[in-house]
Amino acid sequence: RLTLAEMSAEEEASKEETGQSLSEKDQQQLDADKRGIRLENEKYLRSHPELAVITTTVIAEVLRERPEDPVTFVANYMTAKDLKARVLKTANTIGAS
């Protein structure tokens, strides 16, 4: 199953190769597939509210620390041994657990 980004890239590549857009039928199928992926993603995120806490926590830390290399900072943050404790602390603070 392709991601939304992969679908969009595939659609753009098709336009460039042929010099035209997708057929109406293909465009409708692509749109339906995208809607299906969005719904699946939304269901998954709703079943895992802790993901919102994790992303909120890491973004707050990045903004607080303002590291020169945010990619390395986030990688280190997400692999820290105390990540679960940090997330639970944030969840308890904002009442999201």
Side-chain angles (χ1 to χ4, degrees), residues 8-22:
S8 293
E10 193 174 89
E11 181 180 8
E12 287 304 314
S14 174
K15 286 180 187 178
E16 288 176 13
E17 287 175 12
T18 62
Q20 60 188 14
S21 299
L22 296 173

Side-chain angles (χ1 to χ4, degrees), residues 3-73:
T3 65
L4 291 175
E6 291 167 334
M7 286 179 157
S8 293
E10 193 174 89
E11 181 180 8
E12 287 304 314
S14 174
K15 286 180 187 178
E16 288 176 13
E17 287 175 12
T18 62
Q20 60 188 14
S21 299
L22 296 173
S23 70
E24 186 175 336
K25 180 181 175 187
D26 287 344
Q27 185 64 53
Q28 288 173 349
Q29 182 61 52
L30 180 63
D31 292 343
D33 290 346
K34 286 180 179 182
R35 281 191 300 276
I37 290 171
R38 284 188 193 110
L39 287 172
E40 288 174 15
N41 290 345
E42 186 175 330
K43 285 178 189 176
Y44 182 80
L45 289 172
R46 285 181 185 209
S47 69
H48 294 284
E50 68 276 14
L51 291 173
V53 175
I54 292 168
T55 56
T56 299
T57 302
V58 74
I59 290 171
E61 287 296 313
V62 167
L63 293 174
R64 186 173 65 78
E65 295 290 328
R66 299 192 186 273
E68 286 292 319
D69 182 357
V71 173
T72 299
F73 179 87

